[in-house]
Amino acid sequence: MRIIFFGTPEFAVESLDAIMHSSHEVAAVVTVPDRPAGRGQKMLFSDVKGYALKHGLLLLQPEKLRDPQFLAQLESYHADCFVVVAFRMLPEAVWAMPPKGTFNLHASLLPRFRGAAPINWAIMQDEHETGVTTFLLNHRIDEGAILLQEQTPITPNETSGSLHDRLAQMGRTLVVSTLDGLEAGTLAPQPQQGEPCPAPKIFRDDCRIDFHRTCAEIDRQVRGLAPYPAATMTLRNPDGEDVLFKVFEVAPDTGSAEPCGTLICDGKKVLKVSVADGFVRIISLQMSGKRKNCIEDFLRGNSLTGWKLVI
């Protein structure tokens, strides 16, 4: 089949690459326009664009998906199916266009974790299983009929980074299987069943660690946000300045009872914080403006004497 692929980040590149190595033809790739980013406002482009340029694929970067010229371009390629992976919401004028329909690859077992951050929330909500789903697009976000699903366990030490990579690999296989099934006419779309669960975009408040919670809850938050966007804590130095730290790994620890948020540091290899049911030990972190370090290396070059946790 002739395919038009819609995607943006690295996660989507895996599926695009799988289609390129399948029997299906990529007629065009649609991704977001280049945007200025960083202090220098350098123009950056998406991972999907990078892949498309490297492989000489026809590339479209529309500002508006309802633009008549863009819609006419899509029509002119006579694609059989559109594939969407980690892109923005499509208008009906786009998703209703191809004869075989438009399907999306989602990184959860729908209807669980509908939304922008399913991988992060699955870990933070203490799920023991997740997976990937292909489903037909309709007027509602992540609510279309399911085509195929594949499951995988969430391991006790899973991070969003490790789960992201595994689901991307699973997704590339599922996307091609879905295309094969649509071409053969063997797939019967099924309505989503079960209790819906939201997975909204991660904001700054979602990253801030609440040290009044339990060790297990804090561990899930840290793992669910590692390596990006990362859980955070704020320490106040002896001069009264607040410094933001990203936290990438923690572990439960012991100690005498202390009020929640009490910071304990031996200056050599231990930094821990009292929480609702004990202590969490900080294993790796990154001070604002510095590199990521294990705690031993960080304390070797930085004294936290007189610093306090801001809660």
Side-chain angles (χ1 to χ4, degrees), residues 141-216:
I141 296 176
D142 298 340
E143 294 188 22
I146 291 173
L147 296 169
L148 291 175
Q149 285 188 323
E150 184 177 353
Q151 301 172 337
T152 186
I154 298 177
T155 63
N157 296 317
E158 195 89 68
T159 66
S160 65
S162 63
L163 186 55
H164 168 282
D165 294 347
R166 189 161 78 255
L167 293 180
Q169 291 298 315
M170 293 170 60
R172 65 178 287 137
T173 302
L174 201 71
V175 161
V176 173
S177 296
T178 303
L179 287 171
D180 292 344
L182 289 173
E183 184 177 36
T186 56
L187 292 183
Q190 300 295 319
Q192 295 186 25
Q193 297 182 347
E195 188 66 28
C197 178
K201 182 179 178 180
I202 301 292
F203 291 99
R204 184 177 301 175
D205 284 348
D206 299 312
C207 297
R208 187 179 299 115
I209 300 173
D210 180 359
F211 288 98
H212 292 91
R213 301 171 75 192
T214 66
C215 292

Side-chain angles (χ1 to χ4, degrees), residues 59 110 203 232 243 264:
L59 184 68
L110 291 172
F203 291 99
T232 62
V243 181
I264 297 175

Side-chain angles (χ1 to χ4, degrees), residues 210-220 275-278 280:
D210 180 359
F211 288 98
H212 292 91
R213 301 171 75 192
T214 66
C215 292
E217 290 171 329
I218 292 170
D219 173 62
R220 290 196 296 270
V275 298
D277 60 348
V280 288

Side-chain angles (χ1 to χ4, degrees), residues 224-261:
L225 297 172
Y228 180 85
T232 62
M233 64 179 183
T234 301
L235 302 184
R236 182 166 295 154
N237 67 23
D239 295 328
E241 300 171 328
D242 289 351
V243 181
L244 185 72
F245 287 76
K246 293 181 177 180
V247 179
F248 300 99
E249 185 179 0
V250 298
D253 208 334
T254 59
S256 58
E258 298 282 355
C260 288

Side-chain angles (χ1 to χ4, degrees), residues 1-6 15-30 48 51-52 55-59 77 79 81 83 179:
M1 290 196 299
R2 281 175 61 81
I3 309 302
I4 295 181
F5 185 88
F6 296 72
S15 294
L16 176 56
D17 181 68
I19 299 172
M20 288 285 291
H21 288 86
S22 73
S23 62
H24 306 285
E25 175 192 358
V26 178
V29 172
V30 183
V48 163
Y51 183 93
H55 292 83
L57 297 173
L58 181 63
L59 184 68
Y77 301 136
C81 182
V83 179
L179 287 171

